[in-house]
Amino acid sequence: MLAQIGLGLVCGGYATGAALGWGSPQLSVVMGDFGLSAAALAAAVSCLLYARGHHRSFRPAWLLFAFSSLMAAAGNAVWGWYEVVLRTEVPSPSVADVCFLLFAPPAIVGLLVLAKRPVTRAGWVCLGLDAWLIGGSLLTLSWSLALAQTAYVPGESVARAALSLAYPLLDIVLVSMVLALHFRRSHVNRSAINTAIAALALTVLCDALFTSPLLREHYSSGQLLDAGWFAGSLLLAYAPWGVRRPVDVPPAARVRQPHSRPLAGSLAALTPYLAAAVCTLGILYNVVEGRRVDRVVVLTGCAVVLALVVRQGIMLLDNIALTHELAQKENHFRSLVQGSSDVIMIAAPTGILRYVSPAASGVYGREAEELIGSELASLIHPDDLGGVVHEVRRFLAAPPAEEPTTRIECRFRSGRGEWLNVESTVNRHQGGLIFNSRDVTERVRLQAQLRHNAEHDPLTDLPNRALFTERVRGALSGRRASDPGTAVLFIDLDGFKGVNDRLGHQAGDELLIQAARRLQESVRAGDTAARLGGDEFAALILGDGTRDRADRECRVHEIADRLRLKLSQPYRLEGGNEVRVAASIGVAFAEPGLGAGDLLRNADLAMYRAKAAGKDRVELYAPQMQAEVVRRTELAARLRTALHDGEFALLHQPVVDLATGRIAAVAAQARWRSAQGILFTPAEFLRAADDGERTAELGRWLLEEAVEQAAERAGIGHRTPVTIRLSARRLLDRSLPLGSVESLLTRHGLPSGSLIIELADSDPRDPRVTFDELEQRLAALRRLGVKISLDGFGSGHAAINALRRLPVDILKLDRGLVEGIVESARLRKITSGLLRIAGDLGMQSVADGVDMPEQVLALRAMGCTHGQGMAFSGPLDEYRLRRALVRDEYPLPRPVPVTAGNRPPLRSNNETPVPPT
């Protein structure tokens, strides 16, 4: 705006000065000559600078405008040289005339470059004909009015006559190009092009006035006519820089803009007829004035009429070709619409369907004629109608250039009475809308199924861990965020692994399905039951607003206990098998600031506490559980380096012959004294070493250390056998191959019979332990001179089966039998029977956990051959063990005589009758 105001002030000031004569004749001549030269030079520099940095495709046009302005500046400078410097009249012709004549051709070529180029030969021919029609008509009119007099001035030379005619003819050509190209402007930087055309038009108008004989006779430099040339040059200088940014047009103006285009098209179509009318007016002027019609006028008029006829013929042929092409395209698109599987509908602004393609019968099950005339809103599902209306209104309010289409998905009523999921691409059409719709019901169903599969367990169809976590997160962050009664139950099925191992995975899957059904039936309607994986389930119990902690704990504990009882009932599987499993349940309550992951972790910790406390129970989370987990984690981390740092030590507990008190063997036991000075028993650090690799490494260290120390003792005369406790699974593990035991005995020179392997955990239900493999392994060890001891004898059917199948030398009574042998007569009878079996099989027997003299007397009376426990000695280090071996005898307690009224003394197994079992 400031630049336009400044341009107007400069041009207005020049016009005012020219109108007032500039105050003196000398200044008037200077401003009329050198002032015009300066303005034209400014236009040349401006166009040149713009051409160097902008619009490479239109750079030649602005360079030509620069050259044209430079010629005008040179011509005015030469004119001023004669009038101001030499103070003489300008000769005719002169160098100034040459420069002025060179102004028009570059400008004409520049306009051709700026024009929108025709794409066909017919277009180029029509462009040339349009230019000639305009130029010819202007030539006819100007020749009739003025040029004829200039051409036929008597006594004037041919050069002066040609020069006099050159100016108006070039101006006519320039005007013709300006008018012909006015309706063919390029859309790139239209503001600059319009300003340039206006500047050239103003210059041509001033040239036309200058060529008038009446005005030219009285013309002198500095008059008002120079103000037009001055303004034209400054307009051309301003043209490329006037509008450098696109102006933001309001949406309403952009919508109304297309209505101005038909007017421009109409003027462009009327241009040839207007040119012919002007040509006719030039001829009529000569006739009315009674003049003889000039041959130039006749020839020019005939050429204009001929050009008009040729142009109309070309346009007729072009229209015929376009009509044929349009018909072909219309037939093509009609076949595409009618043969398309998509339904195409056109809706009026009122929402009434005006057109529906034939594909509607196959997609919607309704004929197109039936849909035409109905309201689109009546066919859309009521729940989706609000969203569709909102999207349509938003789309219509958006500018078409920014958002030409939109996509809408809704449910559409079909002729079969069902709702179809329809996806539509919407376009504008004459104030209404075009819907290109397709049935996506199957895709929507598939997406829903995929979403369901991604969020649910495939076996039980319960929510999986991801969906359960999301619902817990929603319960903690929604309107129930402040409800402390919200709780999570973590459920683990105790004994499920045994069902899987005994009956197979198919039976296990069936059990899980039934358990999931029971869980789903046991929770309330608003709660969530989920399967997290394997035999782990979970339940989200939403709070009821209870603030009292005891009440809500009692309520959730009651729900969890009822669920535990429900899951612990017998399961009837296919094939008639009835199995039982228990349920260990951990409960954790929501707390302020507690996230979903932390709440699930707390419930998981409580569940593991329930399993550790005996299974088939419900445990509430307590903060110390997390501290215990941290302690075990830290313990496991320190345990990884304990072996390499030499923190483990080997102790031995004597196994005493109950008949003589002598040491028959020593049982090797590992102890861990950490760097902090804490002494851990095997029960403590083996719980931390829950990974198989760490446990295997400890087993290998125990075996190698025990054999090495036993060999050292044998070297100094103490050939007492050493007992090493190993599980059946560890014996079959590839980390302890058979050859390694033999090579170990050979390397240390341990005599035959000096190694006793105490077999633990010989449970045939473990799929990794089979009696066939275990029997072969133990037989191979016995061939090496290794004795086999069966640990935990009397603790269950597994030991009895192992005794029946495996090559065993020693039976070791379970500690649970020994602990109550003095107080319980029933345990005494059971233990006596087991010892009789060992005696009948010719095996030695060892009682573990013999801590009191009364137990020694009772076991010896029942026929037990050996004992191990605090009644004799605790675990000893190597120094104390060697001292005990030197002594080689522990005192045995003697039976106390029984007085009258007291219980009779314990007798031997031969004196105690045992009823058959």
Side-chain angles (χ1 to χ4, degrees):
M1 183 63 67
L2 292 177
Q4 294 175 1
I5 293 174
L7 179 65
L9 291 176
V10 172
C11 293
Y14 190 95
T16 303
L20 299 178
W22 296 103
S24 69
Q26 184 66 23
L27 180 61
S28 177
V29 173
V30 171
M31 294 302 297
D33 294 335
F34 293 110
L36 292 182
S37 178
L41 183 62
V45 173
S46 174
C47 293
L48 179 62
L49 292 177
Y50 185 77
R52 293 182 59 184
H54 298 79
H55 297 296
R56 292 185 176 182
S57 58
F58 296 110
R59 179 177 297 174
W62 294 104
L63 289 176
L64 289 170
F65 290 153
F67 180 75
S68 177
S69 299
L70 184 62
M71 290 297 99
N76 284 294
V78 172
W79 200 283
W81 173 264
Y82 281 106
E83 289 189 339
V84 176
V85 179
L86 300 181
R87 297 181 181 274
T88 182
E89 291 186 3
V90 181
S92 181
S94 66
V95 178
D97 293 321
V98 176
C99 293
F100 288 143
L101 290 177
L102 291 177
F103 167 79
I108 294 173
V109 178
L111 288 175
L112 285 174
V113 174
L114 287 179
K116 186 188 297 183
R117 297 176 179 82
V119 295
T120 62
R121 293 181 180 178
W124 282 105
V125 173
C126 289
L127 176 61
L129 292 174
D130 289 343
W132 167 243
L133 288 172
I134 297 172
S137 61
L138 292 178
L139 177 61
T140 302
L141 184 60
S142 59
W143 188 275
S144 300
L145 295 177
L147 296 182
Q149 300 176 11
T150 302
Y152 298 130
V153 173
E156 189 171 14
S157 64
V158 176
R160 288 185 58 84
L163 183 62
S164 300
L165 291 176
Y167 283 111
L169 290 178
L170 287 175
D171 288 338
I172 287 173
V173 175
L174 188 56
V175 170
S176 302
M177 294 306 302
V178 169
L179 293 177
L181 297 176
H182 175 70
F183 305 108
R184 294 178 178 268
R185 290 168 297 179
S186 173
H187 295 283
V188 179
N189 203 359
R190 175 172 290 187
S191 176
I193 297 175
N194 288 341
T195 307
I197 291 177
L200 294 176
L202 182 59
T203 302
V204 170
L205 177 62
C206 294
D207 288 346
L209 294 175
F210 177 73
T211 57
S212 174
L214 296 177
L215 185 61
R216 189 171 184 179
E217 290 179 0
H218 303 88
Y219 171 78
S220 63
S221 297
Q223 291 184 348
L224 191 59
L225 183 61
D226 291 347
W229 282 315
F230 184 84
S233 296
L234 289 187
L235 272 178
L236 188 58
Y238 169 78
W241 310 98
V243 181
R244 301 189 61 182
R245 299 179 184 174
V247 181
D248 293 333
V249 182
R254 271 183 268 191
V255 173
R256 291 192 299 266
Q257 185 178 359
H259 296 287
S260 63
R261 292 177 182 175
L263 178 61
S266 300
L267 291 176
L270 291 176
T271 299
Y273 303 101
L274 293 175
V278 170
C279 185
T280 304
L281 287 176
I283 297 175
L284 290 177
Y285 175 80
N286 286 322
V287 174
V288 170
E289 291 292 327
R291 300 176 183 176
R292 182 176 59 87
V293 179
D294 195 281
R295 287 178 297 176
V296 175
V297 174
V298 174
L299 292 176
T300 306
C302 293
V304 169
V305 172
L306 179 61
L308 179 61
V309 172
V310 172
R311 186 186 186 283
Q312 291 303 105
I314 293 175
M315 293 302 298
L316 179 61
L317 294 177
D318 196 28
N319 287 338
I320 293 174
L322 289 176
T323 303
H324 181 66
E325 183 179 357
L326 180 61
Q328 287 183 339
K329 290 184 178 180
E330 191 173 314
N331 293 332
H332 175 68
F333 284 111
R334 183 181 292 109
S335 63
L336 288 178
V337 170
Q338 294 181 350
S340 174
S341 58
D342 294 349
V343 180
I344 299 176
M345 301 182 296
I346 300 178
T350 58
I352 303 298
L353 294 177
R354 296 187 306 186
Y355 173 80
V356 179
S357 66
S361 59
V363 176
Y364 299 148
R366 305 177 69 173
E367 296 298 330
E369 293 77 7
E370 177 186 351
L371 294 175
I372 295 176
S374 60
E375 289 189 7
L376 182 62
S378 64
L379 305 174
I380 300 175
H381 195 283
D383 296 341
D384 301 340
L385 183 58
V388 172
V389 172
H390 174 75
E391 176 62 21
V392 168
R393 289 177 177 174
R394 186 204 62 79
F395 171 65
L396 292 177
E402 296 180 4
E403 191 172 4
T405 64
T406 188
R407 190 178 299 273
I408 294 176
E409 189 168 334
C410 62
R411 283 168 289 180
F412 198 90
R413 186 193 303 276
S414 72
R416 297 177 288 273
E418 59 182 359
W419 293 100
L420 302 176
N421 293 91
V422 176
E423 182 185 68
S424 303
T425 302
V426 185
N427 297 270
R428 298 174 179 84
H429 176 69
Q430 297 180 358
L433 296 171
I434 296 180
F435 292 83
N436 190 348
S437 307
R438 63 197 62 87
D439 181 11
V440 293
T441 304
E442 289 301 324
R443 189 193 72 186
V444 172
R445 289 176 182 172
L446 180 59
Q447 289 176 345
Q449 184 64 40
L450 292 176
R451 189 181 304 111
H452 180 85
N453 294 342
E455 296 176 344
H456 290 76
D457 175 58
L459 179 64
T460 63
D461 204 39
L462 290 179
N464 59 13
R465 183 182 293 271
L467 180 57
F468 183 76
T469 305
E470 185 63 30
R471 291 189 179 178
V472 172
R473 188 177 294 111
L476 297 180
S477 60
R479 58 185 178 86
R480 297 181 178 271
S482 59
D483 191 347
T486 300
V488 169
L489 276 60
F490 240 77
I491 307 158
D492 186 85
L493 299 182
D494 304 320
F496 171 75
K497 185 176 180 302
V499 176
N500 243 357
D501 296 339
R502 291 196 310 271
L503 303 179
H505 290 282
Q506 184 174 356
D509 291 346
E510 187 180 352
L511 189 149
L512 291 176
I513 294 173
Q514 294 186 27
R517 189 180 303 117
R518 294 182 185 183
L519 177 61
Q520 186 70 45
E521 294 171 354
S522 300
V523 298
R524 300 171 305 178
D527 299 335
T528 299
R531 183 192 178 205
L532 305 183
D535 59 345
E536 289 186 347
F537 294 86
L540 171 64
I541 308 298
L542 299 178
D544 55 1
T546 303
R547 293 292 174 179
D548 186 79
R549 183 181 183 89
D551 289 346
R552 68 172 183 264
E553 287 184 358
C554 181
R555 176 182 62 87
V556 175
H557 195 284
E558 181 182 351
I559 294 174
D561 202 54
R562 185 176 66 247
L563 179 59
R564 180 187 63 82
L565 294 175
K566 185 78 170 178
L567 293 175
S568 300
Q569 293 177 3
Y571 293 84
R572 177 73 62 178
L573 307 180
E574 290 185 4
N577 295 314
E578 184 177 280
V579 297
R580 287 178 177 268
V581 293
S584 296
I585 302 178
V587 181
F589 287 91
E591 298 177 4
L594 195 67
D598 295 332
L599 182 58
L600 293 175
R601 181 205 61 199
N602 293 346
D604 193 16
L605 292 176
M607 184 269 292
Y608 277 106
R609 171 59 64 89
K611 293 179 72 69
K615 303 180 180 180
D616 194 17
R617 56 188 294 125
V618 177
E619 284 284 344
L620 298 181
Y621 170 77
Q624 58 267 25
M625 295 181 183
Q626 178 64 22
E628 182 180 347
V629 171
V630 172
R631 177 180 174 276
R632 288 185 58 187
T633 304
E634 293 176 350
L635 185 63
R638 295 202 302 268
L639 182 61
R640 292 187 180 96
T641 59
L643 276 175
H644 302 285
D645 294 344
E647 296 180 6
F648 273 88
L650 193 63
L651 303 181
H652 294 84
Q653 188 173 24
V655 179
V656 178
D657 189 332
L658 297 183
T660 63
R662 299 190 63 182
I663 300 176
V666 291
Q669 300 176 4
R671 292 293 187 272
W672 175 27
R673 185 178 298 278
S674 67
Q676 290 76 20
I678 303 174
L679 186 66
F680 296 100
T681 63
E684 292 176 315
F685 64 73
L686 286 179
R687 278 200 303 268
D690 52 357
D691 59 316
E693 180 181 355
R694 200 65 53 204
T695 305
E697 188 176 0
L698 285 172
R700 288 192 296 269
W701 176 86
L702 177 63
L703 180 61
E704 292 180 3
E705 192 72 12
V707 170
E708 182 179 358
Q709 293 187 14
E712 291 179 359
R713 291 193 296 270
I716 60 177
H718 301 299
R719 298 194 174 185
T720 306
V722 62
T723 301
I724 302 173
R725 191 172 187 270
L726 294 175
S727 66
R729 183 162 58 91
R730 185 60 56 199
L731 277 175
L732 296 177
D733 194 352
R734 293 183 178 179
S735 63
L736 187 65
L738 176 61
S740 63
V741 177
E742 183 177 11
S743 61
L744 187 64
L745 297 176
T746 304
R747 183 169 68 250
H748 294 288
L750 193 65
S752 177
S754 298
L755 177 62
I756 303 174
I757 291 182
E758 192 175 288
L759 186 63
D761 302 332
S762 57
D763 190 350
R765 292 175 294 176
D766 191 341
R768 294 166 295 186
V769 178
T770 62
F771 275 133
D772 294 336
E773 293 178 335
L774 189 58
E775 182 180 4
Q776 295 175 7
R777 185 63 190 272
L778 293 179
L781 289 173
R782 291 188 71 188
R783 288 193 294 269
L784 297 176
V786 178
K787 294 183 179 181
I788 306 300
S789 174
L790 184 61
D791 185 28
F793 188 67
S795 61
H797 72 281
I800 300 298
N801 289 337
L803 183 62
R804 181 175 60 89
R805 295 282 306 274
L806 302 178
V808 178
D809 302 299
I810 302 170
L811 294 181
K812 190 170 187 178
L813 292 180
D814 186 75
R815 178 181 289 268
L817 296 175
V818 178
E819 288 176 351
I821 197 171
V822 177
E823 296 82 4
S824 173
R826 184 178 182 85
L827 280 180
R828 287 198 299 272
K829 292 179 180 181
I830 295 174
T831 305
S832 178
L834 295 175
L835 291 173
R836 183 186 303 168
I837 294 174
D840 292 343
L841 295 176
M843 300 179 183
Q844 295 179 357
S845 55
V846 178
D848 188 15
V850 182
D851 299 332
M852 297 181 296
E854 293 83 357
Q855 293 173 339
V856 176
L857 294 174
L859 290 168
R860 186 172 60 186
M862 293 178 190
C864 184
T865 60
H866 297 82
Q868 173 186 343
M870 297 302 295
F872 307 106
S873 172
L876 305 174
D877 57 18
E878 187 65 20
Y879 174 75
R880 290 182 175 85
L881 175 62
R882 293 190 180 185
R883 290 185 59 184
L885 291 175
V886 170
R887 189 172 59 249
D888 195 24
E889 186 177 357
Y890 285 97
L892 297 175
R894 297 189 178 186
V896 179
V898 180
T899 59
N902 289 341
R903 187 180 58 183
L906 295 174
R907 293 175 292 179
S908 66
N909 184 44
N910 296 329
E911 298 171 340
T912 305
V914 178
T917 57

